[in-house]
Every structure is written in structure tokens, then in C-alpha cells.
Amino acid sequence: MSAQPSSQPRPRLTSLAHGGGCGCKISPGVLADLLQGALPGTPYVDLLVGADTADDAAVYRLNDEQAIVATTDFFMPIVDDPFDFGRIAATNALSDIYAMGARPLLALAIVGMPINTLPHDCIRDILRGGESVCAQAGIPIAGGHSIDSVEPIYGLAVTGVIDPQKIKRNSRAQDGDLLVLGKPLGVGILSAAFKKDLLDDASYRVMIETTTQLNLPGMQLASIAGVHAMTDVTGFGLLGHLLEMCRGSSLGARIEADRVPLLPGVLALAESGIATGASNRNWLSYGKQVRALNPMSASRRAILTDPQTSGGLLVACDPTQLPVVQAIFERLGFTQASVIGRMVAGSGEIQIE
């Protein structure tokens, strides 16, 4: 790789991408259509978790005490600072491992960069950001793959390990379970405001803090038998990922909109009309499975469908285990973790109070 002049102007990373963060995900409806008939027809007895329930990672049993957990996640820039972009993408990729209750072992980098457009020191900063988060998680980036791409893309393929008896799927929730959300919502709305130069410095710092906070509680929650199901909230928004939990568990859910934690300033931005295009695509994909028991404003709907980049864990737990679950979140710095509702009898529908 030849050196580039340090005087080369550095473009805004977000200006090089048509979308950013988990808002880049293909909408749930389109994805379901693309995957029709794509599931493997041959059963694999040791594949404990595959693609059948839209879970966060694949799980393959090695023996009675060990299973490998594997996932990949990558996207285009959600911010302009290259180091922060790398940190956010790496944190988001690791989240799928924690959402299964597993411990990460190593990562491989996925890198697509416009080599003739971005200064090479900028690309190096993206890679350093990812490395810093993996170091925080106690794992190496042991290799990877890179291509010359029109848009900047960065992420990780992560491998973890877990006791097969402790796997936390998104499809094992039980009737009456309480729903706990680990992080407040609003990353997509803040990022949309950022792109319009409407985000102040304090709100930007909050966005960086939440998107680079590792979902470490997942590893401890794995040991609690009363935690029945777990997932992380990302590009399909809270409602989309909760619907996946409902479908997999053959249950419904009821959430209290006023109890859903929000990042500072998100409600005001949503009420002013700031939202992502992915939010509307999400609603068009699954809105028919959502029933509002009271009139729901456009801003509230935008928040509940808002694509979260590196969002929080969504936990379904027995009510008797709520104090233990809350204590784990609190001890690891998730001070806004909140009970937002419960699982109920029914199938594949969310009721919003």
C-alpha cells in the first residue's frame, strides 16, 4: 500500500455511504422474501441454533460442555470520526455473542474501503477503533479480509464459546415473563440528526457512549435459569426484534410505551420529524402485527421502530428473577435498564399500552 500525502482532504465518512449503522439492514419484509426456501434441508444434529428463528448467532455443539457461537456483522459509517466508527462497528458485532449468553474468543475483520477516496490514515484509524474494542473485550482480531469498495464498510466475524445448557435463544420466552431493555432507544434518530447537522455536542457524546458500551451482562445472565430468552435490539428496532421473540416463542407481548427508556433529546427530535428511512421500512414490514391500545403518535412509532446500532439487550425473565437481572445490569453500568412490558398468551402480536 503506497503512502498518501497527508494534505489529502478527508471527506466526511457518512457522505460516502447511502446509509449508516444498523439502519443499512435490509428491511424485515424484504429479507424474509429473500430467504424463502434458503434454509438448509439437511438436518445437522449438532447445529443447536441456525437460521430458523432469526436468532443472533449460530451455535454448534462440540461436546456436552462446549458449543461454538459464530456471528458476523458489518455496516457503513454512522459517524464521521473513523476511530469511533471502528469502535461502534466492533461493539455491535460483539453484541450478538453476548446476546446468546456466550463469551467471545476471537474476531476476524471485514473491511471494504474506497482506497482511492479515503486517506490511508483514516482507514487505519477505523481498524484501530475496532482493535481497541476487541482489546476491551479481551479478544484478538486474528485476521480478516479486505476489498476495495465504493462505500466504506467495516465489521467483524466473531467466534465465541458457551456451555450448551446455558444458551439464551430469542425463542424460549414464557407466558408472564417480564421484558427488560438494557439500553435506551434513539440511536437512529440521533444519527439522522447528526447527518443534518442538528445534533449538539452533548447528544453526540451520548450517542458514542451508548453505541460503544459492550453488552457484557449477557455473559452473566446466561447462568440464570429464570432468564428464558434474550436478543439484542438493532436494525429492526425494538418492535421488530420483540416480534422475532414472539414468533419464536409462540407468544405475544404487551409493552408500556411510557416505560421504554430513551436517550436524551430523542423525543424532541422525533416530535420535530427527525427519523430514519429504515424506521418507516420497518413499520411497513411488520406494522400489521402491532396493535396500539391507545392512539399512537407518529413520533412514538418512529422511536419504537428506530433502528438501533449497537443497541441494548432485550431480556425475557421470570418475575422472581427480576432483582437479580436488574442487579447485573446495574453492576455493569447499564443504569437505564428498564422493565418495559411482559410476554402474554397469543401468537406473534405486540400490544402497546
Side-chain angles (χ1 to χ4, degrees), residues 105-130:
L105 294 175
L106 61 86
L108 302 174
I110 300 167
V111 183
M113 293 291 157
I115 294 297
N116 295 321
T117 302
L118 275 182
H120 292 180
D121 63 341
C122 177
I123 298 173
R124 281 191 288 268
D125 284 344
I126 294 171
L127 301 181
R128 284 197 311 108

Side-chain angles (χ1 to χ4, degrees), residues 89-297:
T91 305
N92 181 73
L94 281 160
S95 185
D96 286 340
I97 297 293
Y98 297 130
M100 303 300 296
R103 175 174 62 87
L105 294 175
L106 61 86
L108 302 174
I110 300 167
V111 183
M113 293 291 157
I115 294 297
N116 295 321
T117 302
L118 275 182
H120 292 180
D121 63 341
C122 177
I123 298 173
R124 281 191 288 268
D125 284 344
I126 294 171
L127 301 181
R128 284 197 311 108
E131 291 164 359
S132 72
V133 164
C134 287
Q136 183 183 349
I139 66 169
I141 294 183
H145 185 67
S146 62
I147 61 170
D148 187 351
S149 171
V150 175
E151 295 179 291
I153 297 168
Y154 179 70
L156 301 175
V158 190
T159 301
V161 66
I162 193 170
D163 181 334
Q165 302 302 315
K166 295 182 178 180
I167 298 167
K168 298 303 180 184
R169 301 192 60 167
N170 68 354
S171 57
R172 297 291 186 267
Q174 298 183 14
D175 187 6
D177 278 353
L178 294 178
L179 292 166
V180 181
L181 180 62
K183 290 183 183 181
L185 301 182
V187 172
I189 289 169
L190 293 184
S191 67
F194 172 76
K195 289 183 179 180
K196 296 176 182 292
D197 291 322
L198 297 175
L199 197 66
D200 59 40
D201 290 343
S203 296
Y204 179 82
R205 287 194 297 272
V206 166
M207 183 174 71
I208 298 301
E209 287 170 5
T210 190
T211 53
T212 57
Q213 185 178 25
L214 289 167
N215 276 321
L216 298 174
M219 290 190 292
Q220 295 188 22
L221 293 170
S223 297
I224 303 174
V227 171
H228 297 136
M230 193 156 59
T231 190
D232 63 339
V233 178
T234 54
F236 298 158
L238 172 63
L239 296 182
H241 291 285
L242 178 53
L243 276 168
E244 290 178 337
M245 186 178 285
C246 290
R247 294 189 196 106
S249 305
S250 297
L251 291 170
R254 179 173 289 201
I255 63 172
E256 300 177 48
D258 291 342
R259 299 188 67 176
V260 175
L262 305 180
L263 292 167
V266 163
L267 182 57
L269 286 169
E271 288 177 342
S272 71
I274 300 295
T276 69
S279 176
N280 188 56
R281 292 195 298 273
N282 284 342
W283 180 255
L284 291 175
S285 294
Y286 56 65
K288 291 180 180 179
Q289 285 83 52
V290 178
R291 182 161 61 94
L293 302 181
N294 298 298
M296 185 168 59
S297 66

